[in-house]
Amino acid sequence: MLYELIKLLHLIAAMLWMGGMAFMLFALRPAAIATLEPQPRARLMEQVWRRFFALVLGAVVLLFGTGSHLYTAAYKAAGGSVPLGWQVMLVLGLAMFAIFGHIYVAGFRKFRRALAGAQWPQAAAAAGQIQKLVWLNFVLGWLAIAAVRLLA
Ligand code: HEM
């Protein structure tokens, strides 16, 4: 029962992160590019990312805490072995956390600095970098989920 509750929390955190990335990549950013000039668009994205990245930080903490509990509980129960898919999820999950750290520290900070200094080309370059790395995390997230479901 406790295991199932922890797994539910793990799922909630994964859905918030994955769903947020899908919304950003497929709806928000294309809509902002279609309707807004670069300056109001950059200001909008700064407000959006500030809120979304705070949510992602919470999701990362929750995913890591719950994921490592699920992993070690089952590892002990199975006498020291876990399915390959779980190992793949662990590795891809850690990669996603590191990439998120890079998005925040390298991409988002650079973006904010550029915005504060009204350096629009630099802001656009940093936004492009954030967009690319979010794509990468989105793909890795689905690979991790496919691995945990499909690899024995
Ligand atoms: C260090 C990071 C992570 C670890 C150690 C970890 C560990 C695990 C484990 C052991 C399970 C299997 C539980 C079971 O079937 O009983 C699981 C399931 C799952 N994980 Fe992770 N995870 C991590 C990161 C992530 C990330 C980053 C995502 C998605 C963005 C994610 C999404 C899921 C989902 C959706 C399931 C449920 C699959 C199902 O229905 O069986 N996990 N995780």
Side-chain angles (χ1 to χ4, degrees):
M1 183 60 188
L2 180 66
Y3 186 91
E4 290 306 321
L5 272 178
I6 289 175
K7 192 163 154 179
L8 179 63
L9 281 177
H10 193 75
L11 271 174
I12 291 170
M15 284 179 175
L16 285 174
W17 191 3
M18 295 298 290
M21 287 195 285
F23 175 69
M24 176 194 142
L25 293 171
F26 297 117
L28 177 73
R29 196 135 168 87
I33 288 171
T35 56
L36 296 173
E37 299 301 319
Q39 299 178 16
R41 183 166 79 226
R43 273 193 285 274
L44 171 74
M45 291 314 295
E46 196 232 354
Q47 292 287 318
V48 168
W49 280 330
R50 192 158 60 77
R51 289 168 175 82
F52 179 53
F53 292 156
L55 187 81
V56 174
L57 186 64
V60 165
V61 170
L62 206 56
L63 277 168
F64 185 69
T66 55
S68 41
H69 177 88
L70 296 173
Y71 194 97
T72 48
Y75 181 87
K76 279 182 202 145
S81 74
V82 289
L84 175 64
W86 293 23
Q87 297 169 23
V88 173
M89 169 155 278
L90 171 65
V91 171
L92 290 182
L94 291 177
M96 288 175 71
F97 301 159
I99 292 164
F100 172 67
H102 196 73
I103 290 174
Y104 197 88
V105 173
F108 188 51
R109 283 212 188 136
K110 214 190 293 166
F111 178 74
R112 288 183 110 171
R113 259 200 314 274
L115 202 64
Q119 298 165 317
W120 305 110
Q122 286 89 334
Q129 187 197 9
I130 292 172
Q131 174 88 354
K132 271 197 213 111
L133 291 174
V134 171
W135 259 113
L136 181 60
N137 259 353
F138 188 64
V139 171
L140 292 181
W142 284 117
L143 289 177
I145 292 170
V148 91
R149 299 291 315 185
L150 302 177
L151 298 180

